[in-house]
Amino acid sequence: MSAKQHVQNLLDFIDASPSPWHVISTIETQLAEQTPSWQRLDETAKWTLQPGGRYYVVRDDSSIVLFIQGQKPLAETGFNIIGAHTDSPGLRIKPNAASSEDGLLRLGVEIYGGPILATFTDRDLSLAGRIAYKNDQDRIVCKLIKFDQPLLRLPNLAIHMNRTVNEDGLKLQKQTELPLILSASAEQQLPQEYFSALLQQQAGIAAARILSWDLAVYDTQKGAFWGPDSEFYAHSRLDNLASCHAALQALLDPAALPPDNTLVCAFFDHEEIGSESNKGADGSFLPDVLQRIALASTTDSEDYARALAKSFMISADMAHAYQPNFPNAYDPGHKVIVNKGPVIKVNANHRYSSESLSAAMFADWCEQAGAPYQTYSHRCDLPCGSTIGPITSAKLGIRSIDVGNPLWAMHSIRESAGVLDHDYMISVMKRFFSAPGATRSG
Ligand code: CO
């Protein structure tokens, strides 16, 4: 498959996944088309696993662990894990969101994670998420909801009323200046009733049965290639759906079958808000699943610890691509360039989990895959971001590396990246998954 086709598939994947809850349903749809088939495991049931079997577990609709059980004993091979996250920074609708004033109905929002707020102005926004309701059998269940048409907007102030915007930057007061305009025609109804009716209509659930919901704001603009040779692409949520998509392509690669090692993809919600939740990387989800894989496949209780000691995790999240208009934002020795390959992220204070040996192993897999690679270190006078890498490797005690593809405008509603890099990343991840004994080192 060409590099451009891989990216087209990524753009389609993101179009189908406007919220972290939709990411899981998009992945499930792809798994349903695969042979051999994938089996969903229920955390409340007892698990029976077969060597070579393909399984996945979902926790609370927005985190997922997928694995292919290795042919060889777990204690001999360990787990080959790729971790990434399903959530992206943005705006979420507050519970009692609707208010009406001066003939305009607005929805109050809460800021989720660290978006570049100014990029949310003047976009064709809409809503996606999940509705919790009581069904005909009196059970409380969730259903995904997505509005396709542009539904909401955050119009900018005209420059005539904000004369210094180009000198001072666009600053939005977070409580008073972020509510989104929804409607000018809700005069006859109470605002909250109007909004409930809208949800009821879209979800096909009677308003009286709707008990709660999670709703994220998304941009309805589709992904696009750009540049004279379409060498770049742009979309929302590339951080971090590009990494989820690359890892999934590697896991679904038929050449990887049947694997010796147990191959795992772990995609977590809540990375952008610190990972501390029942389904976040700092929660019990991945340790629970790995331990249960071990319990289901061996009777020796020491084997789980032996398997972890043999394991390796690639923590994949996006990296800051060099933007030549802002040279002072970067360390001059660590400019990572779009379309020049995956980035190994290094931080002495362990904001990234990479160390010399894991970095060397990843560099070696890049060379074996025929992919170039680059190394990133943040400026010393700027605080560095972090990832699920340090958290997960600390919890499990396994060797880990932080990598990611170069990305412009991280946490903008419209991020962009290089077409070649996505293809390179898929090749390296395939190499990691197919390398027998890949994790054995040190
Ligand atoms: Co990220």
Side-chain angles (χ1 to χ4, degrees):
M1 194 181 292
S2 71
K4 196 169 175 202
Q5 186 58 53
H6 276 304
V7 172
Q8 184 60 57
N9 293 348
L10 165 62
L11 299 180
D12 295 343
F13 179 84
I14 297 177
D15 284 339
S17 310
S19 79
W21 308 282
H22 286 81
V23 173
I24 304 306
S25 110
T26 305
I27 292 173
E28 275 199 285
T29 306
Q30 294 199 0
L31 296 181
E33 295 161 359
Q34 296 283 317
T35 16
S37 62
W38 285 79
Q39 185 187 335
R40 181 170 170 151
L41 299 172
D42 180 347
E43 285 196 88
T44 64
K46 203 157 171 58
W47 294 0
T48 311
L49 307 177
Q50 303 298 332
R54 315 212 288 176
Y55 308 95
Y56 67 99
V57 193
V58 175
R59 192 175 276 191
D60 194 35
D61 297 341
S62 57
S63 290
I64 186 168
V65 177
L66 309 101
F67 63 95
I68 305 178
Q69 180 88 350
Q71 305 268 79
K72 288 197 172 162
L74 203 53
E76 274 179 34
T77 60
F79 301 99
N80 289 31
I81 306 167
I82 302 176
H85 63 92
T86 59
D87 61 326
S88 300
L91 303 174
R92 297 285 170 87
I93 304 300
K94 289 199 172 199
N96 301 320
S99 66
S100 186
E101 242 174 20
D102 304 317
L104 292 167
L105 194 153
R106 295 181 300 160
L107 293 184
V109 292
E110 193 173 356
I111 299 165
Y112 178 86
I116 305 177
L117 289 171
T119 65
F120 284 67
T121 60
D122 303 330
R123 310 289 308 190
D124 301 336
L125 304 176
S126 199
L127 292 177
R130 62 176 181 170
I131 306 263
Y133 68 103
K134 196 173 262 189
N135 68 11
D136 294 340
Q137 289 82 46
D138 266 358
R139 284 188 60 224
I140 293 174
V141 292
C142 279
K143 181 180 184 181
L144 294 183
I145 181 171
K146 175 183 179 231
F147 292 87
D148 292 321
Q149 82 275 26
L151 196 69
L152 297 157
R153 200 164 197 90
L154 181 56
N156 239 305
L157 204 52
I159 194 156
H160 314 81
M161 296 153 186
N162 194 9
R163 290 282 186 192
T164 60
V165 63
N166 293 326
E167 287 69 43
D168 298 343
L170 180 60
K171 292 176 188 148
L172 297 160
Q173 211 288 339
K174 289 173 182 164
Q175 173 63 25
T176 59
E177 295 178 351
L178 286 182
L180 305 172
I181 293 179
L182 173 68
S183 173
S185 61
E187 296 276 288
Q188 304 81 357
Q189 263 177 307
L190 290 171
Q192 203 60 31
E193 279 178 14
Y194 176 84
F195 184 50
S196 295
L198 204 63
L199 294 180
Q200 163 188 350
Q201 199 180 12
Q202 187 66 24
I205 302 166
R209 289 190 172 272
I210 296 177
L211 299 171
S212 184
W213 37 260
D214 295 299
L215 289 170
V217 173
Y218 82 97
D219 187 352
T220 55
Q221 188 182 0
K222 302 280 188 219
F225 290 93
W226 60 280
D229 297 318
S230 300
E231 62 262 55
F232 308 116
Y233 64 99
H235 209 330
S236 293
R237 303 181 300 285
L238 292 178
D239 172 13
N240 192 16
L241 298 189
S243 303
C244 292
H245 183 261
L248 195 60
Q249 303 321 298
L251 189 68
L252 299 183
D253 180 22
L257 291 175
D260 286 343
N261 294 21
T262 295
L263 311 182
V264 182
C265 280
F267 304 147
F268 301 100
D269 196 356
H270 290 161
E271 190 272 347
E272 298 290 355
I273 52 165
S275 295
E276 195 181 16
S277 73
N278 70 332
K279 55 184 168 177
D282 204 11
S284 67
F285 188 31
L286 183 58
D288 285 349
V289 173
L290 297 185
Q291 187 160 29
R292 291 185 69 173
I293 295 172
L295 287 170
S297 47
T298 170
T299 49
D300 188 336
S301 58
E302 205 178 6
D303 282 357
Y304 180 52
R306 292 177 64 205
L308 290 183
K310 279 256 165 82
S311 297
F312 192 102
M313 184 178 76
I314 294 177
S315 161
D317 207 341
M318 305 309 275
H320 301 300
Y322 182 66
Q323 214 285 33
N325 298 7
F326 307 102
N328 295 335
Y330 301 85
D331 182 290
H334 299 90
K335 298 172 183 172
V336 300
I337 310 295
V338 159
N339 280 329
K340 300 273 189 208
V343 177
I344 297 171
K345 304 191 231 175
V346 177
N347 181 263
N349 294 291
H350 220 62
R351 303 288 289 163
Y352 303 133
S353 65
S354 317
E355 28 75 16
S356 56
L357 192 66
S358 63
M361 290 168 74
F362 187 82
D364 188 40
W365 296 325
C366 286
E367 279 169 14
Q368 290 176 38
Y373 61 92
Q374 319 177 60
T375 304
Y376 182 77
S377 173
H378 208 59
R379 278 186 73 92
C380 290
D381 49 5
L382 282 178
C384 183
S386 192
T387 71
I388 61 161
I391 298 169
T392 317
S393 67
K395 273 190 112 67
L396 293 165
I398 63 177
R399 189 178 294 288
S400 171
I401 184 157
D402 270 283
V403 302
N405 272 337
L407 179 82
W408 280 312
M410 187 178 286
H411 294 191
S412 165
I413 202 165
R414 196 79 176 169
E415 299 164 327
S416 58
V419 167
L420 295 180
D421 294 328
H422 193 56
D423 193 40
Y424 290 140
M425 185 62 90
I426 293 170
S427 312
V428 180
M429 287 174 165
K430 280 183 183 174
R431 178 67 205 136
F432 168 62
F433 273 159
S434 66
T439 58
R440 248 162 282 152
S441 191

